[in-house]
Amino acid sequence: MSTVLLVHAKGGPPLGHVLSRTAARADVHLLALSALPPSVAASAERLCASVVLPTDAERSDLVSLIVARAEAVGADAVLTFSEYAVVAVAEACEALGLAGAGDAAALARDKRRMRHTWHRHGLPQPAFRPVATQADLHEAVAALTAPLLLKAAWSAGSTAHQIIASPQEADAAWQRSRETMDQSARLGFAELHVAEAAGHFVVEEIVTGDTAGWFDEPGWGDYVSVEGVVTGGVFRPVCVSGRMPTVEPFTERAGITPASLPVDLQDRVVDLARKAVDALGLRDCGTHTEIKLGADGRMWLIETAARFGGAMTVPQIEEVFGLDVVGMLVDHLLGRPVAWPERVLGPEQARGAAGSLVVLAVDGRGAAWRDRRRWDFPVVQEAVALSEGSTLSVVPESSLPDGSIVPVYDPAGGANTMAALCLLSAADARTVLRDFTALVDALPDVLPPAVPAAPRSGPPAGRSRNMTAPSASASPAHPRVRPAVPSEGVAV
């Protein structure tokens, strides 16, 4: 049987899903750069031929570590599903002479180089400037048209995003973004191979999205993602995923497979994704390309990743289209024939629909919950009415334990301040969108309060003073607020 070295780090699809699909194709040796989620540890011991957690000293030269481990186990393929390990694994594959994303992997990680590449190819995207210092930021703010978005060039999951509405806000945004990146690194949500990555940023103009000409019903977000793969340098689209509207500044709340796009519009989106991937020059890897939708059919590229989409994107594809894209990619990297879809799959080929929801302490309008709540999935299951035939589950390895206090949403922290990740299956994408909307509206009312209700002699309306939303001086963006993140992130 063939041998695969799987490099695990935070983010990406759930490790349990990835392990089971990979183990069905080959003997798996796991190199864990992040601690294994407790819910997966037992199955990892059962499914893997070996599990190695390297020391900090061993991780100082990550590529050499991966190469040495691959040689020790006789790996026929090396792969990762984590954004933070993509570059290191690609370089290791190059050194080993194995199939991988290739040298272009760095272009799909560093948003500065990605945008420069697309600019040279004349592809539509927001106007931008790379930023490495506070002085760079001031120059960029003067050159571009506000409002602007400052984001870390190597981040994922909308981490360290800051909106700059005027030049006077630039310094505060710079400080907050850098603090957030430092904080994320301590939590394990940071690039693992490029040492200076935390200091790289990009600032870009915020383009105006519009869903009216794209979707037949309201409630959809103004961007989509094209899920696909590159084999031998050839881009093969699989499907298009839709979204709910983001939470300010641009934190993703939910992904839905498939997107309810008409065939002609879906084809236009896929054509732009193909041009984006081709321009980067990726060779053998999963891909995830996000595209902003605008009025009059306009589109702008947001970013492309040299890996499959995170959260539950991969399990959703398997449920809806019957494609085990993890196993298919493993087979391809091992040199086996794979029957990828001849053309992108859409609602007409779907067996129902599925979506994943990131639970954040904000309502449907993006406003903070009135008071603090505890995460309790059984309560949610019992109290929230869903459409007939819809089923809701929770992803344990990407969720806080029941009873945990839901973190205050931090706009700079993005998905780092999530409480849980839920998966919903339904008859079609419209039903998933409708049920998720109902779920988001219900959560702040059905979840148990973090503090028991005050006695009658307490504050009015039975609310304890320490249950109120944070004041402006202690807002979610305040540096003293620290996210209580689950064991795994959901970089999408």
Side-chain angles (χ1 to χ4, degrees):
M1 196 171 187
S2 299
T3 299
V4 170
L5 177 65
L6 176 61
V7 180
H8 166 66
K10 289 194 173 185
L15 178 59
H17 181 94
V18 167
L19 271 180
S20 63
R21 273 62 179 176
T22 306
R25 300 302 211 280
D27 290 329
V28 182
H29 292 265
L30 184 63
L31 179 61
L33 305 180
S34 299
L36 301 185
S39 60
V40 180
S43 61
E45 292 292 341
R46 174 174 51 84
L47 292 170
C48 298
S50 70
V51 178
V52 171
L53 282 77
T55 64
D56 289 343
E58 291 172 322
R59 290 166 44 135
S60 61
D61 185 346
L62 196 51
V63 173
S64 295
L65 170 65
I66 297 170
V67 169
R69 187 61 189 154
E71 292 176 336
V73 302
D76 302 296
V78 179
L79 74 162
T80 186
F81 295 91
S82 168
E83 179 82 349
Y84 306 119
V86 162
V87 175
V89 168
E91 292 186 11
C93 287
E94 290 288 285
L96 291 161
L98 300 176
D103 294 337
L107 299 182
R109 274 292 285 134
D110 185 346
K111 296 175 178 60
R112 304 166 307 165
R113 297 177 63 189
M114 186 187 305
R115 294 224 173 278
H116 279 303
T117 300
W118 287 340
H119 178 71
R120 289 197 302 272
H121 284 79
L123 298 179
Q125 61 180 334
F128 71 97
R129 294 288 188 280
V131 172
T133 66
Q134 203 162 350
D136 289 344
L137 178 59
H138 281 284
E139 291 180 8
V141 169
L144 299 173
T145 302
L148 304 172
L149 177 63
L150 173 67
K151 56 186 179 183
W154 298 77
S155 68
S158 305
T159 304
H161 282 20
Q162 291 282 288
I163 294 177
I164 301 174
S166 67
Q168 291 73 31
E169 297 178 4
D171 289 339
W174 177 253
Q175 179 180 352
R176 184 65 182 124
S177 286
R178 292 185 62 86
E179 288 173 348
T180 301
M181 288 304 295
D182 290 342
Q183 185 182 101
S184 294
R186 290 193 295 271
L187 295 169
F189 298 97
E191 168 62 31
L192 296 170
H193 178 50
V194 181
E196 67 276 13
H200 297 163
F201 291 82
V202 64
V203 64
E204 58 191 41
E205 294 181 357
I206 298 177
V207 294
T208 302
D210 192 320
T211 61
W214 296 89
F215 297 99
D216 293 334
E217 64 281 333
W220 289 94
D222 58 8
Y223 70 114
V224 294
S225 61
V226 179
E227 323 303 345
V229 68
V230 177
T231 60
V234 178
F235 176 59
R236 303 180 186 278
V238 174
C239 67
V240 179
S241 298
R243 295 294 193 280
M244 291 182 73
T246 57
V247 180
E248 189 177 347
F250 289 102
T251 301
E252 302 191 39
R253 194 197 287 271
I256 301 172
T257 308
S260 291
L261 287 175
V263 173
D264 60 330
L265 296 181
Q266 177 174 267
D267 288 345
R268 288 193 61 228
V269 166
V270 170
D271 181 63
L272 179 56
R274 185 186 306 279
K275 292 175 180 176
V277 174
D278 288 349
L280 296 178
L282 298 171
R283 199 167 63 223
D284 293 286
C285 60
T287 63
H288 172 79
T289 302
E290 297 179 356
I291 295 174
K292 182 91 165 182
L293 308 176
D296 301 320
R298 293 195 67 187
M299 294 181 286
W300 301 269
L301 290 168
I302 300 175
E303 62 187 46
T304 286
R307 44 85 181 167
F308 291 131
M312 294 297 284
T313 303
V314 166
Q316 288 166 209
I317 292 172
E318 183 170 328
E319 176 178 341
V320 172
F321 295 111
L323 293 179
D324 171 14
V325 292
V326 170
M328 295 167 74
L329 178 60
V330 170
D331 280 342
H332 170 72
L333 295 177
L334 292 172
R336 301 167 183 164
V338 179
W340 297 100
E342 294 183 3
R343 70 179 313 277
V344 66
L345 303 174
E348 296 78 9
Q349 294 81 34
R351 302 178 303 190
S356 48
L357 177 76
V358 176
V359 176
L360 301 167
V362 288
D363 62 20
R365 303 183 312 278
W369 290 353
R370 298 183 305 275
D371 46 34
R372 303 296 298 278
R373 296 279 166 163
R374 293 186 182 275
W375 174 245
D376 192 325
F377 182 67
V379 169
V380 173
Q381 273 187 308
E382 182 177 347
V384 180
L386 302 175
S387 302
E388 184 176 355
S390 295
T391 58
L392 183 70
S393 58
V394 70
V395 184
E397 66 182 86
S398 299
S399 303
L400 295 173
D402 289 328
S404 302
I405 297 178
V406 176
V408 172
Y409 173 63
D410 180 352
N416 286 1
T417 47
M418 64 181 282
L421 181 65
C422 292
L423 176 68
L424 189 140
S425 303
D428 52 44
R430 293 176 178 84
T431 304
V432 174
L433 180 62
R434 183 170 60 248
D435 285 347
F436 273 165
T437 301
L439 183 60
V440 168
D441 290 341
L443 284 175
D445 295 322
V446 303
L447 289 175
V451 179
R456 286 184 174 272
S457 58
R463 290 175 60 191
S464 171
R465 288 187 178 87
N466 61 357
M467 289 172 62
T468 57
S471 65
S473 61
S475 68
H478 196 283
R480 289 178 296 179
V481 177
R482 293 290 181 258
V485 297
S487 58
E488 289 295 304
V490 293
V492 294

